[in-house]
Amino acid sequence: MAAYDEAYERAYEALDSALLIIGRAVPRPSVARTVTGEAYRYKEQSPQQALVLKCVRMLSALQALKVLLNHRLVLDAGSMMRISDEIGHDIMFIAGPILFSRPPEARHKQFLDEFFQEEFGARNPLLSRNKRDRVSRRHIRAYNARTYSAPDGDTSKAVHVTELIDGVFSGFIHGAGAHIMDSFDGLDFQTDLSPGSHPLVAMEDQICQYIQRTIMAFCFSAMAIGRQDVFDVLYRLNGDLFDEYGELLGASSGQNRPRS
């Protein structure tokens, strides 16, 4: 059993329960007619509903990351890490105005409009794909840095570090040659690496950071949705599992599960 298995199982159980609660704390989806047929949609398209959807995606990404590492698929695990990072940044961006009681900026409306936008217009899907007006990653990084940093913090450094990490892991998404070389074992290319190989161990060393980041993203979301009880349970779990730097602590006993 890997060192992170217990932490993952405890975190997943708590996060899965938290998702159920926050999903029921916002106005429920209703059936809407789209160009491809009837489907469930959020009518209100609120920031809180966007946070629920982002939490769904982030928990799915964490599950996928664990499965991919179990099967030693390092290249795809790196892709899931990059996806998880981006979702976490989105959650901070969406939740910021609510958590800090500040008016949303114009880019928050732009973000939500694009996020809830249908892929196709009202005509033939082959001819009517909608154009998207996305908020750039640069603007999201800048907002998060100035909103979540300490008053005397170096926001430019925070932006630079986040941009650097995103840039490095983007290579797994776009298939950069240097990243694909991680699959070369010195003799041949292997899509599933051998246990103990350096690239695999390096990835396994990082999964705890993604467990911790997912917990904290859910904490931000729960607080913004108004579920202090869910925040308290997850924040306590985070302290049980990780130190202040996001490193895994020794295995601990007890259950942490938010209740509806």
Side-chain angles (χ1 to χ4, degrees):
M1 177 181 288
Y4 55 78
D5 281 343
E6 181 189 356
Y8 172 83
E9 293 300 331
R10 289 186 60 192
Y12 176 77
E13 181 182 12
L15 292 168
D16 188 52
S17 179
L19 183 59
L20 178 65
I21 296 170
I22 64 174
R24 293 179 178 179
V26 302
R28 304 288 280 166
S30 57
V31 176
R33 182 171 296 279
T34 72
V35 69
T36 56
E38 291 188 339
Y40 286 109
R41 294 289 188 270
Y42 279 126
K43 178 181 178 181
E44 299 79 8
Q45 301 185 353
S46 70
Q48 291 83 356
Q49 290 167 328
L51 288 170
V52 171
L53 293 177
K54 287 292 184 179
C55 283
V56 171
R57 186 65 188 91
M58 196 165 189
L59 183 56
S60 178
L62 182 62
Q63 291 175 266
L65 175 57
K66 180 67 161 56
V67 170
L68 291 166
L69 286 178
N70 285 350
H71 288 81
R72 305 186 300 278
L73 298 169
V74 166
L75 300 181
D76 297 285
S79 297
M80 294 314 304
M81 288 178 173
R82 175 66 182 84
I83 290 170
S84 181
D85 286 338
E86 187 166 304
I87 300 165
H89 300 159
D90 288 346
I91 286 174
M92 294 173 69
F93 180 78
I94 299 167
I98 304 171
L99 296 179
F100 295 95
S101 300
R102 298 173 183 171
E105 300 180 359
R107 288 195 178 95
H108 286 93
K109 183 180 185 305
Q110 178 188 351
F111 183 98
L112 291 176
D113 287 347
E114 190 274 332
F115 177 66
F116 285 110
Q117 178 182 326
E118 293 293 330
E119 195 66 37
F120 301 104
R123 299 180 290 114
N124 185 329
L126 294 177
L127 305 174
S128 64
R129 189 175 182 199
N130 289 323
K131 294 182 179 180
R132 293 194 170 273
D133 182 24
R134 288 191 174 94
V135 177
S136 73
R137 286 288 118 194
R138 177 170 59 87
H139 289 134
I140 290 174
R141 293 187 197 104
Y143 174 86
N144 289 345
R146 68 175 183 268
T147 301
Y148 289 87
S149 296
D152 58 348
D154 187 345
T155 58
S156 62
K157 182 177 181 181
V159 170
H160 177 72
V161 170
T162 304
E163 186 176 36
L164 177 64
I165 294 171
D166 287 353
V168 169
F169 278 86
S170 289
F172 289 108
I173 297 287
H174 303 299
H179 293 66
I180 299 172
M181 287 302 302
D182 283 347
S183 65
F184 188 71
D185 65 5
L187 183 63
D188 295 296
F189 287 97
Q190 307 289 344
T191 55
D192 55 332
L193 303 188
S194 59
S197 64
H198 176 70
L200 177 61
V201 171
M203 282 287 183
E204 291 174 334
D205 285 345
Q206 295 183 70
I207 188 173
C208 286
Q209 298 178 33
Y210 286 88
I211 298 172
Q212 195 263 351
R213 291 174 193 174
T214 305
I215 292 173
M216 292 309 301
F218 269 63
C219 282
F220 292 141
S221 299
M223 184 68 76
I225 290 170
R227 290 301 302 237
Q228 177 73 43
D229 55 334
V230 176
F231 171 88
D232 290 342
V233 169
L234 294 178
Y235 193 77
R236 185 165 57 250
L237 175 62
N238 183 68
D240 287 348
L241 295 177
F242 304 103
D243 64 19
E244 60 182 311
Y245 303 105
E247 297 296 328
L248 185 65
L249 297 172
S252 53
S253 60
Q255 297 296 319
N256 291 272
R257 186 179 178 86
R259 300 183 182 276
S260 56

